[in-house]
Amino acid sequence: MRKMGTHPSCFKSYDIRGRVPDELNADIAYRVGRAYAATLALRGPVVVGRDIRLSSPALAAAPIAGLNDAGVDTFDIGLCGTEMVYLAAARPGVVGGIMVTASHNPVDYNGMKLVREQARPISGDSGLKRIADLVAASRFPLQLVLEAPINPWMSLTNTSLKYCPLSTGRFWRPCIWVVNAGNGCAGPDF
């Protein structure tokens, strides 16, 4: 990690990505949670999800702790695809979402995708630069709240079924089903 006062190299134009732990680690991820809360002046819950990378559980726990310390409630939806965070962040009353994922990058990388209410992406022009500034400064007031787990799987199922309605147990029109296995995180054992 670079010294305080300079932006960590993991901040890109549209997301946060870097080699773990040199460019992105739990300390930076915690500060991202704090800075995200301060930048958006959040007044409601934020959804946090993660992919299957070995570094993802710790990198998801860190911004949750940062958000909670900033006084923001969180919904930890755990192992999921990015679309699950976007769907949950678009729900009424939810003010944002963080997906911990490095997408297509090599195994030693990880990252975060940030969205605001209605799952609107946060990029350099819409707040990510400000978040990077606050992460570099690392000065935040302390407030404490508790995180709350939620399970968005039924919501995703119901939303998906809206696109292919069922009528008396049969499809009323032909459907083409596309399955995204999400590198294995789409089918955890319930």
Side-chain angles (χ1 to χ4, degrees):
M1 184 178 87
R2 297 178 185 206
K3 67 180 182 175
M4 290 298 167
T6 62
H7 288 172
S9 61
C10 59
F11 281 87
K12 310 302 182 199
S13 297
Y14 296 98
D15 61 6
I16 300 167
R17 282 176 282 119
R19 191 178 303 265
V20 177
D22 300 331
E23 298 171 324
L24 179 60
N25 54 48
D27 174 58
I28 292 172
Y30 172 84
R31 289 186 279 143
V32 166
R34 295 299 304 268
Y36 175 75
T39 298
L40 299 181
L42 297 173
R43 298 291 178 255
V46 171
V47 174
V48 179
R50 61 180 167 80
D51 70 9
I52 63 169
R53 291 170 187 269
L54 295 177
S55 60
S56 291
L59 289 178
I64 288 171
L67 287 161
N68 292 165
D69 285 352
V72 178
D73 293 326
T74 54
F75 294 132
D76 181 359
I77 61 174
L79 185 64
C80 65
T82 302
E83 68 280 0
M84 294 285 288
V85 169
Y86 292 172
L87 177 68
R91 295 183 63 130
V94 177
V95 298
I98 298 175
M99 178 61 189
V100 175
T101 182
S103 189
H104 62 282
N105 286 290
V107 69
D108 57 336
Y109 279 73
N110 214 326
M112 296 181 206
K113 296 179 181 190
L114 309 176
V115 295
R116 59 180 64 229
E117 72 281 347
Q118 299 173 353
R120 295 187 339 231
I122 298 173
S123 66
D125 296 335
S126 62
L128 196 57
K129 287 179 186 172
R130 175 71 178 135
I131 291 170
D133 290 343
L134 290 173
V135 166
S138 191
R139 293 195 178 120
F140 310 103
L142 183 62
Q143 297 176 335
L144 299 174
V145 296
L146 299 174
E147 72 170 282
I150 63 168
N151 185 341
W153 291 102
M154 190 52 70
S155 177
L156 178 65
T157 300
N158 291 336
T159 301
S160 299
L161 288 174
K162 287 179 186 175
Y163 295 101
C164 196
L166 301 173
S167 174
T168 64
R170 295 183 178 193
F171 295 110
W172 64 273
R173 64 179 181 196
C175 293
I176 297 173
W177 289 89
V178 177
V179 176
N180 175 2
N183 295 320
C185 72
D189 186 352
F190 293 102

